[in-house]
Amino acid sequence: MFAEHTADPDGTDTHAAPHPCETWPDNGRGFRNTLDRIGDKWSVLVIGILSGGPLRFGVLHQRVPGISQRMLTLTLRHLERDGLVSRTVYAEVPPRVEYELTPLGESLRATVRALAQWVTDHNNEIEAARHTYDTA
């Protein structure tokens, strides 16, 4: 599906190494599960915002546009379970809880930033294509 194609000098098509999407064991189930987690809109936004440093829940909630408290809680739990975010509870009154990216989560920083930049750079084109499609 995503294999790179090259043409020999005689014009015949040869296949380079298959794309990683094509070579996952278990028919890609693990790949899909991980991509579901790190690729959903809320996770991408939370990872991007936490790349600036640790934040308390309330501040994070204010900075993630459009997310409900429940969805933020679920997203943080999933990211924590996957080892991308850590949750630190401080023994204070009232208790203070902060969330931050783990080293594994930090390793996604450049990828999330690149994705966000791509969306920013191409959003007008996508909106125009949607409008053309919807009015056809």
Side-chain angles (χ1 to χ4, degrees):
M1 173 164 79
F2 290 99
E4 295 178 29
H5 296 277
T6 57
D8 283 338
D10 65 359
T12 60
D13 191 27
T14 59
H15 294 282
H19 192 277
C21 293
E22 296 178 293
T23 59
W24 273 78
D26 71 3
N27 289 328
R29 187 176 59 85
F31 180 87
R32 290 189 309 273
N33 288 341
T34 300
L35 195 56
D36 277 349
R37 172 61 44 235
I38 63 171
D40 78 79
K41 66 182 174 184
W42 299 125
S43 293
V44 169
L45 289 169
V46 167
I47 291 167
I49 290 168
L50 285 177
S51 69
L55 292 173
R56 293 178 73 168
F57 183 90
V59 174
L60 187 56
H61 183 250
Q62 291 172 352
R63 293 192 185 170
V64 180
I67 196 167
S68 68
Q69 287 187 358
R70 175 169 162 50
M71 185 53 67
L72 179 56
T73 298
L74 290 173
T75 300
L76 288 167
R77 283 184 188 159
H78 290 299
L79 292 172
E80 186 178 7
R81 179 176 180 252
D82 290 346
L84 301 170
V85 168
S86 66
R87 178 181 186 264
T88 304
V89 180
Y90 295 92
E92 300 173 354
V93 178
R96 179 170 52 108
V97 179
E98 286 186 344
Y99 297 89
E100 66 182 313
L101 295 179
T102 63
L104 183 60
E106 284 285 342
S107 71
L108 277 170
R109 177 187 256 176
T111 302
V112 167
R113 184 173 193 76
L115 180 60
Q117 190 61 57
W118 185 90
V119 171
T120 300
D121 293 346
H122 298 284
N123 190 58
N124 290 340
E125 294 168 73
I126 292 168
E127 290 296 327
R130 287 176 180 165
H131 177 74
T132 300
Y133 182 91
D134 292 345
T135 56

